[in-house]
Structures are given as structure tokens and as C-alpha cells.
Amino acid sequence: MTTTTSKRRKYVREIKPTWWKKLDFYKFYVLRESTSVPTVWFCLELFYGLICLGNGTFADKFVDFLQNPIVVILNIITLGAALLHSFTFFNMAPQMMNVIVKNERIDAKLVSRVFWGITALVSIIALILV
């Protein structure tokens, strides 16, 4: 049995590394997904705090670490990234939910407001407990 190969070249569409820069939608998507990088920083920071707490050096080492200007700047960036991610999630998630009450779909804006209300309530309770 012989196999014949075609002399035609296979079509391969070129995809440039900057494909996402063409549309604002893609730019915002990449920005939103990149909010995971500051989240990794914050997780490592909390882990270091736990280590210091376990060693009994929380008041010395960890508090001094948090007062470093670079750490303060990174934490502000992390807060901004977390707020952006929360804002986009709370606006996007209700549009994907299909909650039906009395044969009518619940308004996405109402669900988004409920999400924000719960977030505010939990934040206030956490601030009171601290």
C-alpha cells in the first residue's frame, strides 16, 4: 500500500502575539485576568504573616515588613486589582445566572445589587469584629 502526499501546503492562519491588542474587549479581558498576579502576591504575604505568627515574631518582623514602602505600594495595587475583579464579577455573574421566580427571570441589576449588599454587610461585620 502506498501513500501519496499532497503537494498543496496546509493552510495555517498566522496568529501574532499581540492579537489581543486589536479590540478593547480583549484588552479589558487580559487586564481582568491579570488581576490574579497581585492575588498571588497577597497570598504569599498572608502566608508569611502566618509563619511570623507561628514563630512569635509577628509584631516585629511582619509589621516591619508591612511598613516597607514597596510593600505598601504592592498592597495598593493588589487592592485595586481585587476591586476591579470584584466589580466585573458582580456585574457579569448575574447575566449568566438564570434564576426564575414566578415564571419571570430575575433582573440582573437586582442580583448585582444584592451581591454588593452582601459584600458591604460582610465587610462591615468584619470591621466591627476587628
Side-chain angles (χ1 to χ4, degrees), residues 14-94:
E14 179 184 0
I15 300 176
K16 296 180 181 179
T18 58
W19 63 267
W20 56 274
K21 292 183 178 181
K22 292 181 181 177
L23 293 175
D24 289 339
F25 174 80
Y26 294 139
K27 290 177 189 176
F28 189 73
Y29 173 79
V30 169
L31 175 67
R32 182 181 186 281
E33 293 302 313
S34 66
T35 60
S36 62
V37 175
T39 303
V40 170
W41 156 255
F42 192 68
C43 290
L44 292 173
E45 181 179 8
L46 287 178
F47 185 66
Y48 177 63
L50 285 174
I51 291 172
C52 289
L53 186 63
N55 292 338
T57 59
F58 186 81
D60 299 331
K61 287 186 178 180
F62 189 64
V63 173
D64 288 342
F65 173 74
L66 290 177
Q67 292 175 347
N68 185 329
I70 294 172
V71 173
V72 172
I73 291 170
L74 287 174
N75 285 340
I76 291 171
I77 292 169
T78 301
L79 176 63
L83 289 174
L84 172 69
H85 188 83
S86 299
F87 179 76
T88 56
F89 176 78
F90 285 168
N91 287 335
M92 180 177 43

Side-chain angles (χ1 to χ4, degrees), residues 89-107:
F89 176 78
F90 285 168
N91 287 335
M92 180 177 43
Q95 295 173 2
M96 292 182 275
M97 294 173 57
N98 194 19
V99 179
I100 298 174
V101 176
K102 296 182 181 177
N103 293 329
E104 288 190 30
R105 186 170 187 229
I106 293 181
D107 184 29

Side-chain angles (χ1 to χ4, degrees), residues 108-121:
K109 289 182 182 179
L110 174 67
V111 176
S112 179
R113 289 183 186 130
V114 169
F115 281 171
W116 280 112
I118 292 170
T119 301
L121 181 67

